[in-house]
Amino acid sequence: MRKSIFRYVTAATLALGSFFNVATAQLTAQIGTGTQAPLTNNSIYSPICRFSATTTNDCSRSNLLYTATELNAAGITNGVTINKIAFYKIGTGASTGGFTFEIHMRNSTTSAPLSTATTWANILSTHTPVYATTTQSIPATSGWVEFTLSTPFTYTGQSLEIAMTHDMTPVPNNPTTGPFDWQYTTGLQDHVIGIVGTSLASIPTLSGTVTNYKVRPNIKFEYSNGTTPVTTLTGTSSICAGVTATLTGSPAGGTYSSANTAVTTVNATSGLVTGVSAGTAVITYTSGSNTATLTMTVNGLPAAPAAITGTTNLCTGTTTTLSSATAGGNWTSSNTAVATVNGSGVVNGLSAGTSTITYTVSNAANCTAAVSTTVTVDILPTVAAITGASSVCAGATTALSSTTTGGTWSSNNTAVATVNANGTVTGVSAGNAVITYTVNNAGCSAAVTKQLTVNALPAPAITQNGALLSTTPFATYSWALGGNPIPGANAQTYTATVNGDYTVTVTDGNGCSATSAATTVTLGTSLRDLGAKENIALFPNPASDLVYIRADHPVNVRVCSLDGRDLIQADNAKKLDISGLSNGVYLFKLFDKEGRLLQVQKLVKSDH
């Protein structure tokens, strides 16, 4: 509840909607400002309960409570005289035939809640009758329905109870056009009790237990306190050109005017003042025959600051700096959830959206001028890490990927490695490169990187010593003759058995492979011819430990596995101990002292 603005009344009328216009100085107050519609059955108990045009419940009784706190807050204090009350009717329900209606009042010490049950006789014994008629009518239009008290009621500063009763039973044919609906404020069910019935005799007791219709209607009072209100005009006396301010005249209901509308204008009814140009103007408030004045000073505005410059698009988590050639101003953001700006014009993007950035300058009168610009903040994308190998061999490819789609790939060193649109990296030469995956969103870019090493290819070279071919150490080897791999030739050395072009393919510790240039082997005399010319014998065969060598001249011996691996080597050998070899078939390669291959013989190692 709150007090309405007082107004000084100058004319008398009782018409609906022109409430409390009287010739003498009166004050008005309102308790209840809610605009709630009626409850169940389109009606409430007070002041007149009428459910419908045809209801047989032609009578109602109610008692309302208004506390001292509510009344005093509205301006009704100890000693005032209440002359009228009014309730706000809504809807089109009406009664023109006339019916009985009474109002009773009393000052009391009662506080909410009201007694849940009492008799009408008890109420009449404590209340004072202030209004009674047998010709009451209700208009069809919405508005305040007034009741001028036949006996003005003196309020003593306590709670106020208002009891009302209506009786339509003497009215022929119940001449009503619909329910009587009254505007109310919620939350005041314990401030009212009431009852309806087919006759007054049927409702001797008021009950507070029924909830359907227990709401207290909004009410207006007209009252006097024996004094004439003083006319005043209050509010600020200084504004800036182009700025508005509201002045307040008292008592309410007067008119406002400006003596110099080139300096300031004022709305005649609301008191809203608008500064037009620098200077002074007298504002007058007129209430009846009384006036009050206020001299309004309008201060000029400073020159508008220079336009804002700088980038107005940024990404979340990034900044941009705005500036104006006019110094000494202040920066503000209209939407700090999207972007903030500090005193230096540095804008920080926080979330996607737009915000108006304003630069404001002021003068000695604290009048301001401003320029603004709109910044747009877009989301900085989040990019998943790059997955895939961290190294690749020169000339080879490897695939990189990210679970974030729609990005682009790039290499910072295309002389070392290139990358295509699908993330396939090609090693170009030995070295290091940074592979970058970038995702763009409306100009906001985010990227992830991966360090990539390109390993050089191995460089195998064959060294030939007669039929013996060898290369430098690597992780794996594969010998070939005429481009065809030699089965089982996977050692660092290989002994050629036939003429031809030999190559070796190796793999280093980085997994990189390369093939050597071909080496042509020409053995000259065939092994069969050598064998025929040389008288060389190995015995016993099979052997378990010692193998004896018989030859016409000294020979050098190499014992090899069938896959070409050298196992035992002895120069100028007469015998060899093979007890350390596993059972199986071995090749004995016999060379002269110049390294020329004389014979190759197979020998079986067997411990049995």
Side-chain angles (χ1 to χ4, degrees):
M1 276 65 73
R2 59 184 175 85
K3 175 181 173 183
S4 67
I5 299 175
F6 295 134
R7 58 191 177 92
Y8 190 72
V9 184
T10 60
T13 177
L14 295 178
L16 182 66
S18 49
F19 177 53
F20 297 155
N21 292 322
V22 294
T24 57
Q26 296 290 322
L27 301 175
T28 65
Q30 179 176 334
I31 296 178
T33 58
T35 58
Q36 284 73 20
L39 294 175
T40 306
N41 293 333
N42 297 323
S43 189
I44 59 177
Y45 279 135
S46 298
I48 300 166
C49 184
R50 185 71 177 165
F51 293 156
S52 69
T54 59
T55 180
T56 58
N57 291 315
D58 294 326
C59 303
S60 68
R61 283 172 171 165
S62 61
N63 191 31
L64 310 179
L65 173 68
Y66 297 90
T67 66
T69 300
E70 293 175 299
L71 293 163
N72 293 340
I76 301 175
T77 57
N78 182 23
V80 306
T81 299
I82 299 173
N83 301 301
K84 288 185 182 181
I85 63 174
F87 301 94
Y88 195 92
K89 174 188 166 292
I90 56 179
T92 59
S95 176
T96 59
F99 58 89
T100 299
F101 183 65
E102 297 177 3
I103 302 174
H104 303 256
M105 291 185 178
R106 79 161 179 142
N107 293 296
S108 75
T109 58
T110 302
S111 59
L114 282 170
S115 173
T116 57
T118 187
T119 65
W120 186 248
N122 286 338
I123 290 176
L124 294 184
S125 68
T126 58
H127 287 55
T128 299
V130 294
Y131 180 90
T133 182
T134 58
T135 58
Q136 185 67 52
S137 63
I138 302 295
T141 54
S142 297
W144 290 99
V145 179
E146 308 172 358
F147 303 96
T148 301
L149 305 187
S150 56
T151 303
F153 185 81
T154 300
Y155 173 65
T156 59
Q158 301 168 306
S159 295
L160 177 65
E161 292 182 40
I162 303 175
M164 291 169 285
T165 182
H166 97 276
D167 183 5
M168 288 187 176
T169 55
V171 181
N173 302 318
N174 297 327
T176 59
T177 60
F180 297 157
D181 304 333
W182 306 95
Q183 199 172 72
Y184 69 97
T185 301
T186 59
L188 299 167
Q189 283 87 349
D190 56 355
H191 289 59
V192 58
I193 57 175
I195 195 167
V196 296
T198 57
S199 67
L200 292 180
S202 68
I203 50 172
T205 302
L206 280 69
S207 172
T209 60
V210 179
T211 60
N212 279 355
Y213 319 113
K214 279 187 60 182
V215 292
R216 193 187 70 181
N218 299 339
I219 190 171
K220 272 189 177 182
F221 297 89
E222 178 187 277
Y223 64 97
S224 59
N225 58 10
T227 61
T228 300
V230 176
T231 301
T232 61
L233 180 59
T234 58
T236 182
S237 61
S238 176
I239 61 174
C240 300
V243 177
T244 62
T246 299
L247 302 181
T248 301
S250 179
T255 58
Y256 302 83
S257 61
S258 170
N260 190 346
T261 55
V263 172
T264 182
T265 61
V266 61
N267 184 282
T269 56
S270 69
L272 182 69
V273 176
T274 301
V276 178
S277 62
T280 60
V282 174
I283 307 299
T284 300
Y285 179 71
T286 302
S287 177
S289 59
N290 299 322
T291 61
T293 61
L294 180 149
T295 299
M296 179 67 68
T297 299
V298 178
N299 299 296
L301 301 179
I308 296 173
T309 59
T311 301
T312 56
N313 289 82
L314 69 160
C315 308
T316 53
T318 65
T319 62
T320 185
T321 300
L322 303 180
S323 61
S324 170
T326 305
N330 296 312
W331 295 93
T332 57
S333 170
S334 67
N335 191 345
T336 55
V338 170
T340 59
V341 60
N342 68 12
S344 301
V346 177
V347 178
N348 184 22
L350 300 179
S351 63
T354 60
S355 178
T356 300
I357 303 300
T358 302
Y359 184 67
T360 304
V361 295
S362 59
N363 58 17
N366 205 30
C367 294
T368 61
V371 288
S372 62
T373 188
T374 299
V375 296
T376 301
V377 180
D378 292 299
I379 294 176
L380 188 69
T382 300
V383 186
I386 297 173
T387 57
S390 298
S391 64
V392 66
C393 300
T397 62
T398 186
L400 302 181
S401 63
S402 170
T403 56
T404 304
T405 61
T408 57
W409 295 91
S410 62
S411 168
N412 76 327
N413 193 346
T414 55
V416 171
T418 61
V419 59
N420 68 11
N422 298 320
T424 301
V425 176
T426 300
V428 177
S429 63
N432 295 302
V434 177
I435 305 300
T436 301
Y437 182 67
T438 304
V439 177
N440 186 284
N441 173 44
C444 293
S445 296
V448 288
T449 61
K450 188 176 184 67
Q451 293 284 340
L452 185 79
T453 299
V454 178
N455 297 306
L457 297 180
I462 297 175
T463 300
Q464 182 181 5
N465 186 3
L468 181 64
L469 305 178
S470 63
T471 188
T472 51
F474 293 100
T476 65
Y477 313 86
S478 176
W479 293 87
L481 175 61
N484 299 311
I486 302 172
N490 304 117
Q492 185 179 351
T493 62
Y494 180 75
T495 301
T497 57
V498 296
N499 294 337
D501 294 329
Y502 288 84
T503 57
V504 63
T505 301
V506 300
T507 303
D508 63 15
N510 294 320
C512 299
S513 299
T515 301
S516 70
T519 296
T520 301
V521 175
T522 303
L523 296 176
T525 306
S526 69
L527 291 179
R528 178 175 293 178
D529 293 338
L530 289 173
K533 296 178 181 179
E534 299 293 335
N535 185 18
I536 302 173
L538 300 178
F539 61 90
N541 189 0
S544 60
D545 45 19
L546 293 177
V547 175
Y548 294 93
I549 303 167
R550 184 179 63 200
D552 293 337
H553 50 78
V555 294
N556 298 330
V557 181
R558 291 179 188 234
V559 180
C560 302
S561 61
L562 294 180
D563 61 5
R565 292 180 292 113
D566 288 336
L567 303 175
I568 300 174
Q569 181 175 332
D571 294 335
N572 197 17
K574 298 294 185 180
K575 61 181 178 179
L576 287 176
D577 185 357
I578 64 170
S579 60
L581 300 177
S582 301
N583 291 340
V585 178
Y586 297 90
L587 297 177
F588 275 66
K589 298 179 180 180
L590 305 170
F591 302 87
D592 62 17
K593 62 181 180 179
E594 284 78 23
R596 292 189 296 270
L597 181 64
L598 301 176
Q599 283 187 3
V600 177
Q601 296 189 29
K602 289 183 180 180
L603 183 136
V604 176
K605 162 69 188 308
S606 175
D607 293 330
H608 301 288

